[in-house]
Amino acid sequence: MNSPAFVFIAILTLAAALAAATLRKLLHAALSFAVASVGLAAFFFLLGGEFVGLVQIFVYIGAVAVLIVFTILLTRRDVEKDRGFNWSGVAIAIAVFGGLIWAIVKTQSLSVSAPEMPALTIKHIGEVLMTGYVWPLLCLGLLLTAALIGALILVMEDKR
Amino acid sequence: MTITLQIVLAVAAALFCIGLLAALSRRHAIFILIGIEMMLAAANLNFIAFWRFRPEPHQPTGVMVAIFSIAIAAAEAAVGLALVIAVYRHYRTTNVDQFDQLKG
């Protein structure tokens, strides 16, 4: 695996995510979130999951980031900026990070390098998705339909 | 330097904690949603990393779980942003400190 590319993508992704978490202007934070999503998709490409990387780009940048920007534009009347910052959240996040890093470093069986792997083709993914994973796929379709109807009902105007 | 599973997991943990930071410390509802999305994305990175680094990555199990997880994250974002818009209509603000009608 290409380690300079990994380091570059890691720095880009974490910097964009940190910007999305700390920038004061909402629109800048949303755009930083899109950049962090691109970095994650690059991680997926680097780790051999090309299809997941493509899905990540389509869903997160094509749908979620655009949806966030639309919501910001629809609700920007009173707060353009985020006022106030809760410092106890910073302490909790740093404590959780320390605990996770301690657990990862302590676990000896995690220090393995990537084995050789035949390329995962879209054809194989499609076959598995249509045979072994067909029930989860159908449930997912049902869930997405329910989420669509629920979101519509939530934002519908009361006509009384 | 070769990339080991530990390094990928450390990056995913850092991303998770940045999402946690955004979800816990910001007062704006949309920032909290962005933080939750980042935590879900870090979990996806863990799925892909464990799938890639196991001894025989022939079955695309981790890829399947990651795809389903991305779809569920998209549904969650749609419902969450609809909630933000509905709450904004009612309270005329998106600051979560002022959503205190249910406070005892």
Side-chain angles (χ1 to χ4, degrees):
Chain A
M1 200 176 299
N2 199 347
S3 58
F6 184 91
V7 173
F8 175 72
I9 295 170
I11 292 173
L12 173 84
T13 308
L14 291 180
L18 205 60
T22 54
L23 279 182
R24 300 196 74 78
K25 283 220 171 190
L26 266 175
L27 266 179
H28 296 178
L31 296 178
S32 307
F33 173 69
V35 174
S37 302
V38 174
L40 262 169
F43 267 132
F44 294 156
F45 276 105
L46 205 62
L47 289 170
E50 285 89 358
F51 186 68
V52 189
L54 279 178
V55 169
Q56 169 90 9
I57 290 179
F58 290 154
V59 173
Y60 271 78
I61 297 159
V64 174
V66 172
L67 210 58
I68 288 175
V69 170
F70 264 111
T71 312
I72 291 169
L73 294 181
L74 282 175
T75 61
R76 71 189 306 177
R77 198 185 59 128
D78 62 340
V79 268
E80 162 75 6
K81 291 179 180 175
D82 185 24
R83 290 186 294 264
F85 199 81
N86 192 354
W87 287 102
S88 60
V90 181
I92 293 173
I94 290 173
V96 170
F97 182 65
L100 283 176
I101 288 294
W102 178 78
I104 290 168
V105 170
K106 277 287 185 182
T107 310
Q108 287 304 318
S109 61
L110 288 183
S111 59
V112 291
S113 56
E116 288 297 317
M117 177 184 85
L120 182 66
T121 58
I122 306 278
K123 185 167 177 281
H124 189 198
I125 292 177
E127 280 172 4
V128 172
L129 205 58
M130 280 296 137
T131 54
Y133 288 87
V134 67
W135 283 111
L137 189 71
L138 291 177
C139 292
L140 198 65
L142 197 66
L143 175 84
L144 283 175
T145 314
L148 178 71
I149 296 171
L152 272 179
I153 287 175
L154 275 176
V155 296
M156 218 159 36
E157 296 275 3
D158 274 350
K159 291 200 181 65
R160 261 177 293 164
Chain B
M1 179 179 91
T2 62
I3 301 298
T4 62
L5 180 55
Q6 279 176 327
I7 300 174
V8 185
L9 290 186
V11 171
L15 196 65
F16 179 87
C17 290
I18 292 171
L20 190 68
L21 170 77
L24 286 181
S25 65
R26 304 307 290 252
R27 301 271 162 78
H28 200 288
I30 296 171
F31 271 119
I32 295 174
L33 265 172
I34 288 178
I36 292 171
E37 288 292 321
M38 263 196 267
M39 289 196 273
L40 282 166
N44 286 340
L45 183 57
N46 265 5
F47 280 130
I48 295 291
F50 276 115
W51 164 74
R52 180 67 183 85
F53 283 86
R54 70 180 200 157
E56 301 98 22
H58 296 310
Q59 287 298 315
T61 319
V63 171
M64 289 300 141
V65 177
I67 289 170
F68 289 137
S69 165
I70 288 175
I72 290 172
E76 175 258 328
V79 175
L81 290 170
L83 264 177
V84 171
I85 291 179
V87 165
Y88 176 76
R89 279 218 192 105
H90 189 74
Y91 287 99
R92 290 282 139 197
T93 180
T94 46
N95 190 338
V96 291
D97 281 350
Q98 293 172 28
F99 304 161
D100 53 1
Q101 202 171 17
L102 288 180
K103 203 173 181 178

